[in-house]
Amino acid sequence: MPYLTIGHFIAYSFMKNLRVLILLFPIFFSQISYANTVIDIKINQYQQYAQQHKLAQNITWQRLLYLDPKTQQSRVTYQHFFLHPQGKQRPELELQDSIAALLNKNDTDQSFRCRFPARSQWLIEQLQIPQDQLAQVDCPEFQQWFSTIQPYKTTLIFATDFMGNPSSMFGHTLLRIDPKDQAELNLISYAINYAATPESKDNDFAYAWKGLTGKYPSEYSLMPYYHKVKEYGDLESRDLWEYELNLSPEQTQFLVKHIWELQKVHFPYYFISDNCSYALLGLFDILYPQLNLQQQFSYTAIPIETVKAMQNAGLIKDAVYRPSLETQLLSQAKQHGQVLAKAAHQIAYLEPKHMPAQLVQYSELDQAKILEMAYDDLYLALIAHRINSDFAQPRLRAVL
C-alpha cells in the first residue's frame, strides 16, 4: 500500500466531501425552492383577498399613505415612504408590495415591519395573518425608540396665544405621550410636536409671508415634555391646558408607531390652515375614520376651535390647567393685594443687605407672601432677559 502524505489525505477527504455535497445539493435546493414557493403562494392568496375586499380603497389605508381625496395622490414627497415606484399614485400597488414585504425576509432594521410598524399592524389585522407566516424581523432601532417612550396614554396640550411668533398668534397644540402609572411624573413624558422649520436668516416679514403661503416645510419632532413647559410657561408666558384623551393604550401605541413612519416626511406648513392643529386632527382621523375631523376645517384651523371639535366628538376625557409663571404672579398679586405686590417688586430689586430693613414692617405672614412674589418677579425678569444673571442670582438667594 503506497504511503499517504498529509496532503494526499486532505485531498482525498475534500473529494469525498465534495461528492457528498454534490449529491445533497439538489435536496437543499429543492427545500429552499419549496419554501419560496410556499411563501409566494401565501403572498398571492393574501393579495387576492385584499383585492376582493378592496383594502386599497379602505379610508384608513389611504390616510396612512396621506392620499389626497381630490388628486388621488399622496401628499408625501419623500420617495422612501413608499415601496412601489408608483405607490404615491397607486395605493393598490403599494398595498400589494406591502403584503409581499410582510412575508419576505429583509435585513436588520430594513424590513417593512421595522420601517412601517403602523401600516404593518393594520395589514396584519385586516388580513388576519398568523405570526408564524410572517417573516422574522429584527428592529433594534425602532424597539429602542419605542421602549424609551413607553406609550400608554395620550394627552392633547393647548398652549395659549403668543404674539411674539406669527405661527402661534392663535395658540398651539401638541401631544404628550404618557407611560403607564406616571400621572405624577408627566413632565418627563415625551411630547410630539408638529411645527414649521423656518430658515434662520428670514426676517419677520419673510417669516410671516412664507408661513402664510406654505413656503416652510414642517415635521414631527419628539422631545421631553418639560422642555415645552419651560418654553411656553416660563420663556413665553403662555398658559397650558392639558386634555387627557379617550384613547386606549393600543390606540396610543398605534399613533406612536405611525409617528415613527413620518420621521423624514415633510409637508408644507400654513400658519392658519394646514398647521399644527390640523395635522393632529389627521392623526385622530386615522384612529377614528368616521369622525372626519379635518373636513370640519377646510379653510382655517384655529387651535382652540380644533380642541372644541375634539371635545364635541367625545375624545376629551379630562382637563388640567397649568398656568404660566406670569399668570401665577398676577394671580398672587390679585390675591394678596396691590400693596404687598408693590412691596414685593420693590424689595426684589434692592441690594440683598437692605431687604431685611424693608421687610420688618410687615407681619410674618405678609413677609412670606412678599418674598414669594419677589422671587417669581425676579425669576420672570431673568428668563425674559430684562435683568442679567449677575444681578438676579444674589437677590434670588436672598429672598428664598
Side-chain angles (χ1 to χ4, degrees):
M1 181 176 179
Y3 177 73
L4 293 176
T5 65
I6 294 177
H8 289 126
F9 179 75
I10 293 174
Y12 171 76
S13 299
F14 173 77
M15 293 302 297
K16 182 179 180 181
N17 290 333
L18 182 61
R19 285 196 294 272
V20 173
L21 288 172
I22 291 173
L23 291 172
L24 293 177
F25 181 77
I27 299 175
F28 290 141
F29 181 79
S30 63
Q31 289 178 339
I32 295 172
S33 178
Y34 173 75
N36 288 336
T37 301
V38 170
I39 292 174
D40 289 341
I41 291 173
K42 290 292 183 183
I43 289 172
N44 185 258
Q45 289 175 345
Y46 288 123
Q47 289 175 336
Q48 288 183 6
Y49 178 91
Q51 287 180 335
Q52 292 169 1
H53 291 79
K54 301 180 179 180
L55 289 189
Q57 298 175 29
N58 187 287
I59 190 64
T60 300
W61 176 251
Q62 295 192 353
R63 285 176 176 171
L64 284 169
L65 297 179
Y66 289 83
L67 196 74
D68 188 323
K70 296 179 181 178
T71 64
Q72 287 300 299
Q73 291 193 22
S74 173
R75 297 172 55 228
V76 177
T77 56
Y78 180 57
Q79 62 178 356
H80 296 297
F81 189 71
F82 309 98
L83 297 185
H84 194 278
Q86 297 181 50
K88 180 180 174 68
Q89 300 87 12
R90 302 282 299 278
E92 72 280 6
L93 297 181
E94 185 66 19
L95 188 138
Q96 296 295 311
D97 275 15
S98 298
I99 293 173
L102 283 173
L103 275 67
N104 285 320
K105 293 183 179 180
N106 212 318
D107 297 333
T108 299
D109 282 325
Q110 297 303 311
S111 71
F112 178 73
R113 288 165 66 192
C114 295
R115 294 169 55 197
F116 305 106
R119 271 190 248 175
S120 298
Q121 178 181 326
W122 186 83
L123 277 174
I124 292 168
E125 291 172 354
Q126 296 300 310
L127 299 171
Q128 301 179 21
I129 305 176
Q131 286 294 318
D132 59 2
Q133 290 185 16
L134 296 169
Q136 296 296 314
V137 297
D138 186 18
C139 311
E141 188 177 346
F142 166 72
Q143 290 298 338
Q144 181 179 1
W145 180 85
F146 192 77
S147 61
T148 299
I149 303 170
Q150 301 179 57
Y152 185 81
K153 186 171 63 176
T154 306
T155 299
L156 175 70
I157 310 298
F158 170 70
T160 55
D161 60 282
F162 176 56
M163 299 306 293
N165 186 339
S167 66
S168 298
M169 290 177 63
F170 301 102
H172 181 68
T173 54
L174 63 152
L175 299 178
R176 190 185 71 218
I177 306 298
D178 296 321
K180 187 178 182 181
D181 301 326
Q182 191 172 285
E184 302 302 321
L185 298 172
N186 53 37
L187 281 176
I188 61 174
S189 297
Y190 280 88
I192 295 174
N193 191 49
Y194 181 82
T197 52
E199 300 174 12
S200 57
K201 65 180 181 180
D202 287 344
N203 57 33
D204 291 345
F205 176 79
Y207 180 71
W209 174 252
K210 289 183 178 181
L212 290 170
T213 56
K215 301 301 182 182
Y216 286 131
S218 61
E219 63 182 1
Y220 285 96
S221 58
L222 190 77
M223 75 285 293
Y225 179 55
Y226 64 81
H227 285 178
K228 303 306 290 183
V229 171
K230 184 174 181 63
E231 175 186 347
Y232 294 147
D234 293 350
L235 301 180
E236 298 180 356
S237 295
R238 302 167 71 178
D239 298 339
L240 299 178
W241 287 89
E242 303 172 347
Y243 300 98
E244 184 181 344
L245 300 182
N246 270 320
L247 301 188
S248 67
E250 292 75 21
Q251 287 174 312
T252 293
Q253 291 162 9
F254 186 86
L255 185 151
V256 171
K257 289 177 182 178
H258 182 56
I259 295 298
W260 170 265
E261 299 175 347
L262 299 173
Q263 287 183 97
K264 297 181 180 179
V265 172
H266 301 276
F267 298 107
Y269 193 93
Y270 295 83
F271 287 167
I272 62 173
S273 54
D274 197 342
N275 55 19
C276 57
S277 298
Y278 188 81
L280 295 187
L281 292 181
L283 297 179
F284 300 121
D285 276 343
I286 293 174
L287 297 176
Y288 294 98
Q290 74 280 7
L291 294 181
N292 296 314
L293 292 167
Q294 280 191 338
Q295 291 183 12
Q296 301 178 34
F297 300 90
S298 301
Y299 301 104
T300 61
I302 306 303
I304 189 60
E305 296 302 322
T306 66
V307 174
K308 292 177 182 178
M310 293 182 63
Q311 188 171 31
N312 293 337
L315 291 180
I316 292 179
K317 181 178 180 181
D318 196 12
V320 174
Y321 176 55
R322 189 186 293 272
S324 68
L325 183 59
E326 183 177 16
T327 299
Q328 294 178 52
L329 184 58
L330 292 173
S331 177
Q332 289 170 358
K334 184 176 181 180
Q335 180 182 356
H336 300 326
Q338 290 299 317
V339 174
L340 295 186
K342 184 177 180 180
H345 181 73
Q346 292 173 343
I347 289 173
Y349 285 79
L350 288 175
E351 289 288 340
K353 62 183 180 181
H354 296 148
M355 291 180 181
Q358 292 295 320
L359 283 167
V360 72
Q361 58 184 302
Y362 300 98
S363 68
E364 289 187 3
L365 180 59
D366 285 346
Q367 286 183 28
K369 296 175 181 178
I370 290 170
L371 291 174
E372 181 183 16
M373 289 189 288
Y375 183 90
D376 289 345
D377 193 349
L378 280 168
Y379 183 68
L380 188 61
L382 175 63
I383 61 177
H385 303 292
R386 294 196 298 268
I387 58 176
N388 59 39
S389 179
D390 291 339
F391 181 90
Q393 291 301 333
R395 289 164 175 78
L396 287 169
R397 287 193 295 268
V399 299
L400 279 177

